[in-house]
Amino acid sequence: MPNNKPDMITVDDKNFGSHIEHWNLLTDDPTQIVPRWLGQALDAPVMPMGLCTNEDDMDANTWLIQGPSQATIQFSQVVAVENNKPKCVKTAFPIFESPYKTSAKIERIISCQSNTQAVLRLNLGGNATVYAFDNLYSVNQSQYQKDQSYCVHLNAWAYELEQVNEHEQIIVDDPASIKHHRALNAILAANNGIAPNDLQQQIEAWQPQTEEDRAPLTVDFSHMVAYLYGETVGQEDEAWFQGKIVGKTHTQCMQEEYVLYDVTLLLEDNEEATLIRIASRNSAYMNFEIGQYIRGNIWIQANIYAKNGK
């Protein structure tokens, strides 16, 4: 029987990254507070099935427990099970849901050695790729199929955020970069905005005709949408982004106030924008407004409950 699973990479647990820094985003004293929260979450637990249609599809040796139920922000626990009884908590991490969904294929799964958690390499179509921590990996891992399109909800926790100033600019004076930019613009203008099949060859052959063609470029990136994933294998879900705020709400968790920003993560030509919901309890990040551009470092998560996209 042919292997129909996405590509898999296994990373040593100690190199996969710790959730301590993630819990630090929710409390200043995770060592004392988080065990209490996890206990409280068991008072009103949820056991999501993800892509599984019945309990027989799920791993009998692992439970995924989320709670408190009905809360916007929840605490997720992956529990080892023996003889249908909980044995120990393998890992725990904070989660929440995003209302925004995008269609994506799972190109690769980067799992830790104990196989309790994973980062997914998601292809959103074309050249658009996002890495995200899989909140439902312990129930979904046996269900994932290569080339299958899934409905993915993306959310993130903010480490650092800042507003992008209006008309932020950089001066590009590298001759090769100037030539590439001028050539690309000239070739597209001559082809009614459509890239010819030999675009790269035409760019290489193009030569400046005037002093203006050689002049430094002023690039305004204040309205740029950008996303860079982490460079460390197993920690690609730790990302940098810049995007536009299109929505803003608030919620509470354990008497703490959180702001939720809906932000453009990806904006490809002729494609619908990919939106992500970003949460923070940092008072310094509460006052950004809809329409502004922000940037910063975030931890991206994914929730997958269904096949076949939007």
Side-chain angles (χ1 to χ4, degrees), residues 9 56 65 109 147 151 176 187 204 232-233 239 291 307:
I9 293 177
D56 291 341
I65 301 175
I109 298 172
D147 298 325
C151 176
I187 293 164
E204 291 173 0
T232 303
V233 176
K307 297 179 180 180

Side-chain angles (χ1 to χ4, degrees), residues 70-144:
Q70 308 305 314
T72 301
I73 293 174
Q74 296 182 322
F75 312 123
S76 190
Q77 305 175 63
V78 180
V79 180
V81 177
E82 199 171 89
N83 298 323
N84 208 33
K85 293 181 179 180
K87 184 179 178 183
C88 65
V89 175
K90 291 183 174 181
T91 188
F93 45 89
I95 62 169
F96 68 97
E97 293 279 355
S98 167
Y100 302 108
K101 54 190 177 183
T102 187
S103 182
K105 295 180 180 179
I106 300 172
E107 287 188 330
R108 183 180 299 151
I109 298 172
I110 304 103
S111 172
C112 64
Q113 209 161 31
S114 61
N115 206 33
T116 55
Q117 49 193 336
V119 172
L120 305 180
R121 177 184 166 98
L122 301 168
N123 184 311
L124 280 58
N127 296 318
T129 298
V130 171
Y131 284 87
F133 180 84
D134 187 355
N135 288 341
L136 298 169
Y137 181 69
S138 58
V139 294
N140 278 346
Q141 57 178 286
S142 63
Q143 303 297 313
Y144 290 142

Side-chain angles (χ1 to χ4, degrees), residues 43-216:
D43 294 336
V46 176
M47 297 184 71
M49 297 181 68
L51 293 168
C52 299
T53 55
N54 55 68
E55 290 187 9
D56 291 341
D57 296 332
M58 302 173 74
D59 182 359
N61 298 314
T62 306
W63 289 348
L64 177 62
I65 301 175
Q66 298 174 350
S69 61
Q70 308 305 314
T72 301
I73 293 174
Q74 296 182 322
F75 312 123
S76 190
Q77 305 175 63
V78 180
V79 180
V81 177
E82 199 171 89
N83 298 323
N84 208 33
K85 293 181 179 180
K87 184 179 178 183
C88 65
V89 175
K90 291 183 174 181
T91 188
F93 45 89
I95 62 169
F96 68 97
E97 293 279 355
S98 167
Y100 302 108
K101 54 190 177 183
T102 187
S103 182
K105 295 180 180 179
I106 300 172
E107 287 188 330
R108 183 180 299 151
I109 298 172
I110 304 103
S111 172
C112 64
Q113 209 161 31
S114 61
N115 206 33
T116 55
Q117 49 193 336
V119 172
L120 305 180
R121 177 184 166 98
L122 301 168
N123 184 311
L124 280 58
N127 296 318
T129 298
V130 171
Y131 284 87
F133 180 84
D134 187 355
N135 288 341
L136 298 169
Y137 181 69
S138 58
V139 294
N140 278 346
Q141 57 178 286
S142 63
Q143 303 297 313
Y144 290 142
Q145 297 176 334
K146 187 185 299 184
D147 298 325
Q148 171 65 52
S149 182
Y150 293 98
C151 176
V152 181
H153 297 254
L154 294 173
N155 65 278
W157 297 92
Y159 293 115
E160 296 178 352
L161 297 175
E162 66 175 3
Q163 182 183 347
V164 181
N165 295 324
E166 284 291 326
H167 308 301
E168 259 189 44
Q169 298 176 339
I170 57 172
I171 304 298
V172 179
D173 55 10
D174 173 58
S177 298
I178 294 171
K179 178 180 182 294
H180 185 277
H181 177 84
R182 303 287 191 196
L184 179 61
N185 283 352
I187 293 164
L188 291 178
N191 288 273
N192 298 315
I194 299 173
N197 292 333
D198 61 343
L199 176 62
Q200 189 57 43
Q201 291 91 324
Q202 289 195 37
I203 288 175
E204 291 173 0
W206 185 88
Q207 293 298 324
Q209 303 297 314
T210 66
E211 285 304 312
E212 184 179 348
D213 289 342
R214 299 181 178 86

